[in-house]
Amino acid sequence: MKRIGNTFALLAIIVAGHTTAQAEDPLPSWNDGAAKKSITEFVAKVTKEASSDFVPIAERIATFDNDGTLWCEQPMYFQLVFALDRVKALAPQHPEWKTSEPFASLLKGDVKGALAGGEPAIAKIVIVTHAGMTTTEFEQIVADWIATAKHPKFKRPYTECIYQPMVELLAYLRANGFKTFIVSGGGIEFMRPWTEKVYGVPPEQVVGSSIKTKYEMRDGKPVLMRLPEINFVDDKTGKPVGINSHIGRRPIAAFGNSDGDQQMLEWTQAGSGVRLMMLVHHDDSVREFAYGAESKIGAFSDALMVEAKKDGWTVISMKDDWKTIFAFASQAAP
Amino acid sequence: MKRIGNTFALLAIIVAGHTTAQAEDPLPSWNDGAAKKSITEFVAKVTKEASSDFVPIAERIATFDNDGTLWCEQPMYFQLVFALDRVKALAPQHPEWKTSEPFASLLKGDVKGALAGGEPAIAKIVIVTHAGMTTTEFEQIVADWIATAKHPKFKRPYTECIYQPMVELLAYLRANGFKTFIVSGGGIEFMRPWTEKVYGVPPEQVVGSSIKTKYEMRDGKPVLMRLPEINFVDDKTGKPVGINSHIGRRPIAAFGNSDGDQQMLEWTQAGSGVRLMMLVHHDDSVREFAYGAESKIGAFSDALMVEAKKDGWTVISMKDDWKTIFAFASQAAP
């Protein structure tokens, strides 16, 4: 009889464990409200086999912007901070930078002056910091930087400046059979060294902007050299192009936060069946940053807000919808 | 005691089932020999947790060429047959083709004459048959063609002219935690409509050549228009570039059959740890086709054979290593 008792005990534990898992809130950092409800209702619909809204697992594709959607993008894009830090690190090998812009201003600590040169200035910075090395070397440079650099406001590694509610959302979707992809205007090879560890998104599910690479032999070993030439810009109308190129299926859910995500959400919505489109709105100046239509980084224009309302996209208020923003700051909203 | 009996019976069934699964040959269409052994030994090594050769599941990436590696490529690339068929289908809308090459020859049934114009002639054919429609429209065109067209020698749909030993290999690798990718010189959007059903490889794991696409609104609906402009050629030195762009990890196993796969195998081998590189050699004129160094399609040059021997790549003899080539022809080798 002891064996029977054990079997029953085991069964009881399994059943109890199952019940607990069911009852546990998979999105504990989200306040109860329309945003959270739109997520859980969408997932319930597409995973219910008998329903006409059911979507087979292979087609459960969800795409996420990164800057401003999964991690912060203020006071400037983290990849730009990386580039500026690289200029400083490389300066000793480039004495000529002392007298040539945008490097001269940058090395004097005048970031605004350096960036005053606009896109050509930024292009110069990107080329000297992102090209001219192998893909393996660049991966190591990114890994070293991301392991040590800290956010100026939060005094934490950038990989901790990620939104806990979105990390929960990624996990919740994956637990429901979704494949989660990042589709970002950021550099694809800037993200891949850390997205798997930080978001659970493997390199092959990261789509981003890129420069061209070239296969060649160096000391008898094959390498991919990073060339000073833009290959693809994964922003605005580029996002559906990148999705089509890398994924080859239309997402059924898409998450963004700015004008750069508009076309990704349109493309997602234009498929048949039930869809989920959401935009993170940065309206919490206390716990994160508040910025919108006028921001030079991550602008959420009035036109985007109009389109969101017209098309039934859900706007997430960071202030109202998120109980916790960062895992390191578990305080409730003020 | 009945319950105990049931529990034991259940256990016995589970154990027996497990033993049966272990004993079953996962590669029944392969003859016992060096090629088959190199596969099973490689898989045993990278999946053995205690071993220094162990590779975590996330890093078990295997890449497969398509034309000549997973399906036939003779008497001409199937995608070229598709293009020629499309020219015929579109001819009524293009009366001007009657007097302009390469279309005039083609429509008279003179394929050789049409292709005598070389790359420019082929480019003209590709542009009129692969561009100028939306991605959704093109997908449907491919799906319709592949459902009806038949191979001239085997009198079977092209999706049945696939190598049964390689289909088993794909499944065997996946059963051992691998992600299997196609990395082909063929068109990425020509393959995606059918690779999941035929090979078990989903669209997001297909890498191939591509033309540019453009996001635009048509009748208020977003579409991706296929433009008459090459975006990427996924062949030779392009294969490592395509792998890096789409997968972002180096494969630990790669499978090809021609000079176009050389760099993919080099790139795979250049990583650390145990690796598997294999080349299918078409030496079976009775059951398939025999061609090699001199072939205009799928050339396996003498230089490639030299490199294969030098670098320890396994050359698969279709004649000797494959018990069955096609599922529809289960006869043994003559």
Side-chain angles (χ1 to χ4, degrees):
Chain A
M1 282 303 286
K2 191 160 176 276
R3 197 176 293 273
I4 292 174
N6 281 351
T7 306
F8 278 168
L10 188 68
L11 265 175
I13 290 164
I14 290 166
V15 171
H18 187 70
T19 310
T20 310
Q22 289 284 314
E24 245 170 41
D25 182 353
L27 301 170
S29 298
W30 292 73
N31 287 317
D32 291 324
K36 182 174 184 171
K37 204 174 156 195
S38 71
I39 296 168
T40 52
E41 286 188 351
F42 167 77
V43 169
K45 275 182 195 169
V46 299
T47 55
K48 194 178 170 188
E49 285 209 37
S51 155
S52 61
D53 295 327
F54 178 74
V55 176
I57 284 180
E59 290 164 29
R60 291 183 204 158
I61 303 289
T63 55
F64 291 79
D65 170 55
N66 185 40
D67 297 307
T69 299
L70 295 180
W71 76 356
C72 308
E73 58 187 354
Q74 297 285 359
M76 67 173 106
Y77 292 125
F78 297 173
Q79 190 171 359
L80 188 53
V81 180
F82 162 76
L84 302 183
D85 284 355
R86 287 300 299 159
V87 167
K88 287 176 211 156
L90 293 166
Q93 300 157 44
H94 293 274
E96 76 279 10
W97 286 354
K98 278 182 193 149
T99 53
S100 94
E101 290 297 346
F103 307 106
S105 296
L106 206 60
L107 295 174
K108 275 180 256 165
D110 179 11
V111 174
K112 263 198 183 163
L115 300 184
E119 297 235 339
I122 292 175
K124 274 187 193 173
I125 294 168
V126 168
I127 283 168
V128 301
T129 56
H130 285 68
M133 70 290 280
T134 70
T135 51
T136 308
E137 288 163 351
F138 185 71
E139 186 181 340
Q140 192 57 52
I141 291 167
V142 172
D144 290 346
W145 180 83
I146 207 98
T148 53
K150 289 197 172 165
H151 190 277
K153 176 171 175 176
F154 302 115
K155 316 290 179 200
R156 296 274 177 166
Y158 288 102
T159 48
E160 289 184 25
C161 300
I162 59 173
Y163 306 133
Q164 179 60 19
M166 297 305 279
V167 172
E168 291 167 8
L169 176 54
L170 283 163
Y172 174 57
L173 290 175
R174 288 194 293 262
N176 282 282
F178 280 76
K179 255 191 185 174
T180 53
F181 287 80
I182 291 171
V183 178
S184 168
I188 191 168
E189 300 207 60
F190 176 73
M191 296 182 282
R192 281 175 164 166
W194 49 268
T195 55
E196 188 159 35
K197 196 177 156 197
V198 172
Y199 299 134
V201 176
E204 63 269 26
Q205 285 163 223
V206 177
V207 183
S209 298
S210 57
I211 59 176
K212 287 197 187 293
T213 63
K214 185 171 180 284
Y215 182 85
E216 58 185 52
M217 285 288 169
R218 212 171 63 170
D219 305 327
K221 268 251 190 185
V223 296
L224 286 171
M225 287 301 298
R226 291 172 58 83
L227 307 181
E229 192 185 340
I230 297 293
N231 178 57
F232 178 63
V233 178
D234 191 48
D235 197 30
K236 301 189 192 285
T237 59
K239 290 207 175 191
V241 171
I243 287 169
N244 186 61
S245 166
H246 284 257
I247 310 177
R249 285 196 229 254
R250 196 189 296 259
I252 63 167
F255 306 87
N257 77 298
S258 78
D259 291 6
D261 301 310
Q262 178 193 336
Q263 290 81 4
M264 175 167 75
L265 271 61
E266 288 171 352
W267 180 245
T268 300
Q269 185 162 36
S272 60
V274 62
R275 306 269 153 170
L276 180 64
M277 284 68 57
M278 301 187 87
L279 289 167
V280 175
H281 196 213
H282 294 262
D283 57 1
D284 192 327
S285 62
V286 176
R287 295 186 300 167
E288 203 237 10
F289 299 95
Y291 57 99
E294 304 306 320
S295 178
K296 284 200 176 175
I297 290 171
F300 191 133
S301 68
D302 296 338
L304 181 64
M305 192 62 93
V306 167
E307 182 168 2
K309 291 212 169 123
K310 181 172 72 69
D311 291 343
W313 301 349
T314 304
V315 176
I316 300 162
S317 162
M318 290 180 73
K319 198 174 172 199
D320 299 330
D321 289 316
W322 288 357
K323 200 176 289 173
T324 301
I325 292 186
F326 302 111
F328 62 75
S330 55
Q331 75 274 22
Chain B
M1 282 303 288
K2 190 156 179 281
R3 197 174 292 275
I4 292 176
N6 281 350
T7 307
F8 278 169
L10 189 69
L11 265 174
I13 289 163
I14 290 166
V15 171
H18 187 68
T19 309
T20 309
Q22 288 284 315
E24 244 170 41
D25 182 354
L27 301 170
S29 298
W30 292 73
N31 287 317
D32 290 325
K36 183 173 182 171
K37 204 174 154 194
S38 71
I39 296 168
T40 52
E41 285 187 352
F42 167 77
V43 170
K45 276 182 194 167
V46 300
T47 55
K48 194 178 170 186
E49 285 208 37
S51 153
S52 61
D53 295 326
F54 178 75
V55 176
I57 284 180
E59 291 164 28
R60 292 184 204 158
I61 303 289
T63 55
F64 290 79
D65 170 55
N66 185 40
D67 297 307
T69 299
L70 294 179
W71 74 357
C72 307
E73 58 187 353
Q74 298 284 1
M76 67 173 108
Y77 292 124
F78 297 174
Q79 190 171 359
L80 187 52
V81 180
F82 162 76
L84 302 183
D85 284 355
R86 288 301 298 159
V87 167
K88 287 176 211 157
L90 293 166
Q93 300 158 44
H94 294 274
E96 75 280 10
W97 286 354
K98 277 182 194 150
T99 53
S100 92
E101 290 297 347
F103 308 106
S105 295
L106 206 59
L107 295 173
K108 276 181 256 163
D110 179 12
V111 174
K112 263 196 182 164
L115 300 183
E119 296 236 338
I122 292 175
K124 274 187 193 174
I125 293 168
V126 168
I127 284 168
V128 302
T129 56
H130 286 68
M133 71 289 281
T134 70
T135 51
T136 308
E137 288 163 352
F138 185 71
E139 186 181 341
Q140 192 58 52
I141 290 167
V142 172
D144 290 346
W145 180 82
I146 207 98
T148 53
K150 289 198 173 165
H151 190 277
K153 177 172 174 174
F154 303 115
K155 316 291 179 198
R156 297 274 178 166
Y158 288 101
T159 49
E160 290 184 24
C161 301
I162 60 174
Y163 306 131
Q164 179 61 19
M166 298 305 281
V167 172
E168 291 167 7
L169 176 55
L170 284 162
Y172 174 58
L173 290 174
R174 287 195 293 261
N176 281 283
F178 280 76
K179 257 192 185 174
T180 53
F181 287 81
I182 291 171
V183 178
S184 167
I188 192 167
E189 299 208 61
F190 176 73
M191 297 183 281
R192 281 173 164 167
W194 50 268
T195 55
E196 188 159 34
K197 196 176 155 198
V198 172
Y199 300 134
V201 176
E204 63 269 26
Q205 285 164 225
V206 177
V207 183
S209 298
S210 57
I211 59 176
K212 287 197 187 293
T213 64
K214 185 172 181 282
Y215 182 85
E216 57 185 54
M217 285 289 171
R218 212 170 63 170
D219 305 328
K221 266 252 191 185
V223 294
L224 287 171
M225 286 302 297
R226 291 172 58 83
L227 308 181
E229 192 185 340
I230 296 293
N231 178 56
F232 178 62
V233 178
D234 191 49
D235 197 29
K236 300 187 191 289
T237 58
K239 289 206 174 189
V241 172
I243 287 169
N244 186 61
S245 165
H246 284 257
I247 311 177
R249 282 196 231 254
R250 195 190 296 258
I252 62 167
F255 306 86
N257 77 298
S258 78
D259 290 7
D261 301 310
Q262 178 194 336
Q263 290 81 4
M264 175 168 75
L265 271 61
E266 288 171 354
W267 180 245
T268 300
Q269 185 162 36
S272 60
V274 61
R275 306 269 153 170
L276 180 64
M277 285 68 57
M278 300 187 88
L279 289 167
V280 175
H281 195 213
H282 294 262
D283 57 1
D284 193 325
S285 62
V286 176
R287 295 187 300 167
E288 203 236 9
F289 299 94
Y291 56 100
E294 303 306 321
S295 178
K296 284 198 176 175
I297 290 170
F300 191 133
S301 69
D302 296 338
L304 181 63
M305 191 62 91
V306 167
E307 182 168 2
K309 291 212 170 121
K310 181 171 72 70
D311 291 344
W313 301 349
T314 304
V315 176
I316 300 162
S317 161
M318 291 179 71
K319 198 173 171 201
D320 298 331
D321 289 316
W322 288 358
K323 200 175 290 172
T324 301
I325 292 186
F326 302 111
F328 62 74
S330 55
Q331 74 275 20

